[in-house]
Amino acid sequence: MTGSRTGPSGFIHSLEETLIALLLGLMTAITFANVIARFVFNSNILWALELTVFLFAWLVLLGASYAVKVHAHLGVDAIINMLGAPARRAVGLFAVGCCLVFSLLLLKGAYDYWAVFADLPPTSGRWFPTGFDMKARSQSFYEVQDVPMVSFLRFLEDLINYGEAYEKLPKVVPYLVLPVSMLLLVFRFIQAAMQIARGEADRLVASHEVEDEIAEVQAQRGEHD
C-alpha cells in the first residue's frame, strides 16, 4: 500500500501502516503465548485477554481513520456511477459533510468520556460543546482490571493521581485512543472533502480497484500480443 511514497507524507503513511501491523502482531503474539501457557504449562497470563481487547480497540479505531485516508471503506456506488461528474462531486461532498458532522459528534463524546480519566474537565452541552464542565468529578484513580502498571508511566501518579500509586494500568492510557482516533477521523474526512472539491476524487469509497487492476493487466497483455 505504501507504493513509492517518499517525503513527510510517505513517512507518515508508512508509520500508520507500521503501527497497525504492530498492533495486529502484538495481539497475535500475546494470544499465542497465552494458549501455550494454558495447554503446555497449565498456567495463565492473567492480563493477556484484557490487553488483547485494548489492542484490538486501538487497531479498529486507528484503522477506521486510515481506511478513510486510503478510500478502503466499503460502499455502494451503483447510483453514483449513473450520475454525471458534477452530480457525483455534489453527492460526494454531501456524503463527506454528513460523515464530518458525525465524526465531530463522536469526537466530543470520545473526549468527554476520556477527559474524566485524565483529570480534565469534559465539555458541556448535549450535542455541541458550549464550554467546559468544571464541576465534573475526576476519575483519574480508575484502573483497568488486570493489566499491571508499567514503570515508565509512573509519572502519571504525580501528574493526574495526586501522588497516589497505581497498582494496575490507569484507564486514561488505553482510553486515550478514543479522542485521538476521532480527531484523526475528523482530519481524514476534511482531507477527503478537499480531494473531492479539487476534483481529485468524486466519492469517499473506491470499490472497483480489482476491476481496474484486471482491466490494466488485460490491456498490458493486449499490448504484448
Side-chain angles (χ1 to χ4, degrees), residues 27 53 105 108 129 131 150 192 218 224:
M27 287 173 54
V53 171
L105 293 174
K108 178 189 180 332
V150 290
Q218 291 175 342
H224 292 303

Side-chain angles (χ1 to χ4, degrees), residues 20-33 48 51-60:
I20 291 172
L22 179 62
L23 291 170
L24 184 59
L26 285 173
M27 287 173 54
T28 304
I30 293 171
T31 302
F32 177 75
L51 182 57
T52 302
V53 171
F54 288 143
L55 291 173
F56 181 71
W58 278 67
L59 176 68
V60 170

Side-chain angles (χ1 to χ4, degrees), residues 44-118:
N44 181 37
I45 303 176
L46 182 62
W47 45 265
L49 177 59
E50 186 177 38
L51 182 57
T52 302
V53 171
F54 288 143
L55 291 173
F56 181 71
W58 278 67
L59 176 68
V60 170
L61 293 172
L62 293 176
S65 63
Y66 177 78
V68 173
K69 175 184 176 180
V70 298
H71 302 280
H73 280 289
L74 297 177
V76 179
D77 57 5
I79 297 178
I80 296 177
N81 291 332
M82 298 169 58
L83 304 176
R88 285 201 301 269
R89 182 180 298 182
V91 172
L93 288 173
F94 175 76
V96 76
C98 293
C99 293
L100 185 57
V101 171
F102 182 65
S103 61
L104 286 170
L105 293 174
L106 289 176
L107 176 59
K108 178 189 180 332
Y111 171 79
D112 290 345
Y113 186 80
W114 171 80
V116 291
F117 297 116

Side-chain angles (χ1 to χ4, degrees), residues 107-124 131-143 156 159-162 166 170-176 178-179:
L107 176 59
K108 178 189 180 332
Y111 171 79
D112 290 345
Y113 186 80
W114 171 80
V116 291
F117 297 116
D119 197 32
L120 294 173
T123 61
S124 56
F132 290 97
D133 184 6
M134 306 305 296
K135 297 181 179 179
R137 179 173 175 268
S138 173
Q139 298 179 16
S140 59
F141 56 90
Y142 276 39
E143 301 174 338
L156 292 174
L159 183 64
I160 64 174
N161 204 36
Y162 306 96
Y166 288 114
K171 287 188 174 182
V172 64
V173 176
Y175 291 177
L176 176 62
L178 292 172

